[in-house]
Amino acid sequence: GTSMWGHQMFGTAPDLVTLGKPMGNGQPMGGVVTTADLLDEFGRHNMYFNTFAGNPVSSAAGLAVLQVMEQEDLMARAGSLGACIAGRLSSIAAGSGHVGAARGRGLFFGLEIVEADGSGRPAPALTKALTEDMRERGVLISRIGRHDNVLKMRPPLVFTQQHADLLLEQLELSLAALDS
């Protein structure tokens, strides 16, 4: 929400950036962005051929994604909506004994689930139960982390305030059920 590329948030300039499935909005495609010098060096030492590279359907899908991003100002929306969600997640975290921390940037969020005994110990079984409960409530989220105890929320750029409200309301209900 604050920049197009994650590396920009840290002031780095990578030699190579790879892109995956979001760039085609469901159309299978990927991409590589690099410098002309690096590409020329690669070409001098390697022959590269790809039967699927640049096909018209995938190219049209990628272009359409970029056009919608620009026309609907999705980057700016991700920034403002992300700030709103982050604030609500912090409030949810403060009100639940099962949440150790809420983190996020743009539209990428994590909610650390811990034992409610005040020890701060990771609670992977509770995290799994929360993901299942959220699925039953119609909201798909996943879990990640070294201890598999972080709820991962990474909605698409077309996410709206209405979607965010649904996510957060159901998350509050799910956590409240866990707390009771």
Side-chain angles (χ1 to χ4, degrees), residues 96-100 112-124 126 149:
S96 173
H98 286 290
V99 179
E112 180 187 25
I113 306 302
V114 297
E115 297 294 342
D117 60 8
S119 67
R121 287 179 297 136
L126 294 176
N149 71 312

Side-chain angles (χ1 to χ4, degrees), residues 4-180:
M4 180 70 173
W5 306 104
H7 64 83
Q8 291 172 319
M9 293 183 284
F10 303 100
T12 62
D15 294 323
L16 192 77
V17 176
T18 59
L19 307 145
K21 58 187 171 184
M23 66 185 285
N25 194 32
Q27 173 69 21
M29 60 188 302
V32 176
V33 179
T34 188
T35 64
D37 289 344
L38 196 60
L39 186 59
D40 290 343
E41 180 68 20
F42 177 81
R44 280 194 291 279
H45 299 283
N46 302 281
M47 185 180 119
Y48 179 75
F49 177 76
N50 187 324
T51 57
F52 298 106
N55 76 69
V57 174
S58 293
S59 297
L63 181 58
V65 167
L66 291 172
Q67 288 169 338
V68 169
M69 285 177 67
E70 183 178 354
Q71 291 165 357
E72 297 185 19
D73 201 14
L74 295 183
M75 292 296 297
R77 184 191 318 166
S80 60
L81 187 56
C84 175
I85 294 170
R88 288 210 28 214
L89 283 174
S90 291
S91 295
I92 290 170
S96 173
H98 286 290
V99 179
R103 294 186 179 89
R105 188 175 288 205
L107 286 178
F108 193 178
F109 305 97
L111 206 59
E112 180 187 25
I113 306 302
V114 297
E115 297 294 342
D117 60 8
S119 67
R121 287 179 297 136
L126 294 176
T127 309
K128 182 178 182 182
L130 280 168
T131 60
E132 290 301 315
D133 187 59
M134 290 293 286
R135 181 185 56 78
E136 290 175 14
R137 295 171 183 278
V139 179
L140 298 178
I141 57 177
S142 61
R143 53 198 162 94
I144 59 171
R146 182 182 334 154
H147 303 289
D148 212 22
N149 71 312
V150 177
L151 294 178
K152 178 177 83 169
M153 295 158 273
R154 192 176 61 174
L157 284 176
V158 294
F159 208 62
T160 65
Q161 185 66 54
Q162 181 182 1
H163 299 127
D165 290 342
L166 174 68
L167 164 71
L168 296 164
E169 288 164 8
Q170 296 307 313
L171 181 60
E172 284 181 301
L173 291 171
S174 191
L175 281 166
L178 190 65
D179 285 335
S180 61

